Amino acid sequence: MAWSYAFSTQAGTGKNLCQDAVAIQCDHESLAIAISDGAGSATYSNSAASLVTKLAIERQGLLWSDDWQLLLGILQEGLKESASSQPIEDYSCTLVVASITPDGWRFLQVGDGGAVVLHGDSLSWLGTDPGEYM
C-alpha cells in the first residue's frame, strides 16, 4: 500500500511560538504518526511537544506489546530529563499516536484531543469528549 499524508502547524491565536510537533514513520506496509500540542501556559511546551513526538515514533512498536504502558514511562522519563532543574509542569503537552500496519492499528492519546477513523462508510471518534479545549 502506498501511504500519503499531509500536515500543517501554526502558532495559536495570540502566540508568537508554534507549540505543535509532528513525527512520521512510513514504509510500504505501515504508517506511524505522532502529533503533539504544547500547553500554551507551559514555558517549554514547544520543546516537550518535539521531544514526545520523536520518542513516540522511535518507540511506537511498544503500542503493539503487552506492556504498552512502558511507552508512557519512556515519554515521562524523557520529559523529566529535559526538565532537569525546571518544574516538570513547564513541559506540558498533549500527544496522539497512531500506528497502522497490515495487522491492524493501535492508538494512544494523552491529554485532550483525539483522532477520527474511517471504518467503511462511517467515521469514529477516538479520544476525549468534546469540551472547553476541543
Side-chain angles (χ1 to χ4, degrees):
M1 169 182 282
W3 294 98
S4 61
Y5 54 85
F7 66 89
S8 175
T9 62
Q10 180 176 325
T13 305
K15 307 282 186 202
N16 294 327
L17 180 64
C18 181
Q19 298 168 326
D20 302 336
V22 178
I24 299 170
Q25 183 179 40
C26 182
D27 62 32
H28 293 298
E29 293 188 346
S30 63
L31 173 67
I33 300 173
I35 302 167
S36 181
D37 180 23
S41 60
T43 306
Y44 303 106
S45 62
N46 60 322
S47 297
S50 294
L51 176 66
V52 297
T53 54
K54 179 179 178 262
L55 287 174
I57 288 299
E58 288 174 357
R59 303 295 184 95
Q60 56 91 19
L62 292 172
L63 290 175
W64 295 91
S65 73
D66 290 335
D67 191 16
W68 61 267
Q69 291 180 329
L70 180 58
L71 177 58
L72 292 178
I74 290 168
L75 297 173
Q76 288 174 333
E77 286 305 311
L79 288 172
K80 285 178 185 175
E81 282 181 28
S82 286
S84 185
S85 62
Q86 303 298 322
I88 192 68
E89 294 80 17
D90 285 348
Y91 288 79
S92 297
C93 62
T94 64
L95 175 65
V96 176
V97 183
S99 178
I100 306 163
T101 73
D103 297 326
W105 58 272
R106 293 290 190 263
F107 175 80
L108 172 72
Q109 180 237 328
V110 179
D112 61 355
V116 176
V117 178
L118 178 63
H119 294 280
D121 292 334
S122 65
L123 295 174
S124 298
W125 169 252
L126 303 171
T128 57
D129 292 332
E132 179 181 0
Y133 299 104
M134 296 291 285

